[in-house]
Amino acid sequence: MATIRQQIIDMLQEGIFDARELSQALGIREKEVYEHMPHIEKTVVSQGKTVEIIPSHCTVCGFTFKDRKRPSRPSRCPKCKRERIESPKFTIR
Ligand SMILES: [Zn+2]
């Protein structure tokens, strides 16, 4: 577990990735990436850095899910009701 988390941290220090890209690169499920994120955030904050989350947005109408506390992908846009939602992206600064 610690190894996967460290690998995610290493990747996010190098660039901006969404959960699907991270899951594919590390061979884990997308859901697991979201489960690791709160722990990763704690580790990163203890090192004086922050996990920046670029929020999900609807690719149809542009609605941005700014208020979401949990960094998971919403399934449907509350505004236009379509399911073309772009995953949130993560990076470490
Ligand atoms: Zn929409």
Side-chain angles (χ1 to χ4, degrees):
M1 286 310 234
T3 311
I4 288 286
R5 282 177 198 164
Q6 191 53 53
Q7 282 178 288
I8 294 174
I9 290 170
D10 289 346
M11 282 185 72
L12 295 181
Q13 282 177 332
E14 296 298 319
I16 301 171
F17 299 97
D18 67 25
R20 200 164 57 92
E21 292 167 331
L22 291 167
S23 70
Q24 284 171 351
L26 302 170
I28 59 173
R29 287 175 303 133
E30 198 171 331
K31 191 171 158 280
E32 291 177 65
V33 174
Y34 292 123
E35 287 166 1
H36 284 303
M37 288 316 290
H39 304 280
I40 287 168
E41 191 156 20
K42 245 187 227 174
T43 305
V44 166
V45 166
S46 76
Q47 294 168 350
K49 296 173 186 166
T50 53
V51 175
E52 195 163 308
I53 301 168
I54 293 109
S56 298
H57 70 271
C58 173
T59 60
V60 180
C61 73
F63 180 84
T64 302
F65 295 82
K66 277 178 188 154
D67 297 332
R68 279 184 79 86
K69 295 274 182 284
R70 287 181 56 79
S72 59
R73 191 169 73 92
S75 59
R76 210 156 89 117
C77 176
K79 199 174 166 192
C80 71
K81 315 292 182 200
R82 304 282 287 274
E83 294 181 4
R84 302 278 303 274
I85 309 295
E86 174 129 316
S87 298
K89 290 182 168 60
F90 305 99
T91 191
I92 292 172
R93 290 183 202 278

